[in-house]
Amino acid sequence: MNFLKLLVPVGCLVLLAAAFSAYGWRGLFVVGGGITMWLLLHFTRMMTVLKRAADRPVGYVGSAVMLNAKLKPGVNLLHVVALTRALGVLRSPEGTQPEIYRWTDGSDSYVDCTFAHGKLVSWQLTRPAPAEDTPPAVPAPAATPAP
C-alpha cells in the first residue's frame, strides 16, 4: 500500500485538530479555508491542463526530441500531459502496471513513456531511419553579383 497517499489526508486532519485545540472554531475555519484553497488550486491546474489537451490530437507532440530533453524521472502523468499539451496513446493493456504512453511528432519520431503508479520511470526516444531512396542534397549555386 502506498503510504504517501495517506500522508496528505492525515496531515490535513492533524492540522485541523491542532488549529481547533489552539484557537477553537476560528482556528478550525482558518485552516479549513487554507486547505480548501490548496485543493482548489490543484483542481484548477488539473482542469487547465486537461482543457489544453482536449484541443490537440491524442498522442501528438510538437517535437519528440524536445519532449525527450524535458522529461525527468519521478514526474507525474499530469506534468507530462502539461508538457505535451496532449494526452498520450496508451500502449499497454488497460489497468495494468506499468502504463506505457506514446507521443508522436510530425516527423514520425516518438517517445514512449513508462509510468509506474502515475510516476515517470523511464522513457525512450525513437527516430525513424532516413529514407534510402532520397537523393543527396545539392548545394545551392553561388550568387553572382548583378551588373
Side-chain angles (χ1 to χ4, degrees), residues 93-113:
E94 192 170 332
T96 61
Q97 290 293 325
E99 298 174 320
I100 301 171
Y101 289 93
R102 176 177 286 178
W103 284 270
T104 307
D105 66 4
S107 67
D108 291 332
S109 298
Y110 59 88
V111 177
D112 285 331
C113 297

Side-chain angles (χ1 to χ4, degrees), residues 63-66 68-69 105 109-112 123-127:
S63 173
V65 175
M66 290 304 295
N68 180 55
D105 66 4
S109 298
Y110 59 88
V111 177
D112 285 331
W123 64 93
Q124 179 180 1
L125 171 68
T126 306
R127 300 178 87 174

Side-chain angles (χ1 to χ4, degrees), residues 51-110:
K51 187 167 81 170
R52 287 181 186 155
D55 297 336
R56 302 271 306 257
V58 174
Y60 179 79
V61 66
S63 173
V65 175
M66 290 304 295
L67 174 61
N68 180 55
K70 290 181 181 179
L71 290 175
K72 297 178 206 165
V75 298
N76 59 15
L77 180 59
L78 185 65
H79 181 80
V80 177
V81 170
L83 282 174
T84 62
R85 295 185 179 208
L87 298 173
V89 176
L90 183 63
R91 306 290 293 176
S92 60
E94 192 170 332
T96 61
Q97 290 293 325
E99 298 174 320
I100 301 171
Y101 289 93
R102 176 177 286 178
W103 284 270
T104 307
D105 66 4
S107 67
D108 291 332
S109 298
Y110 59 88

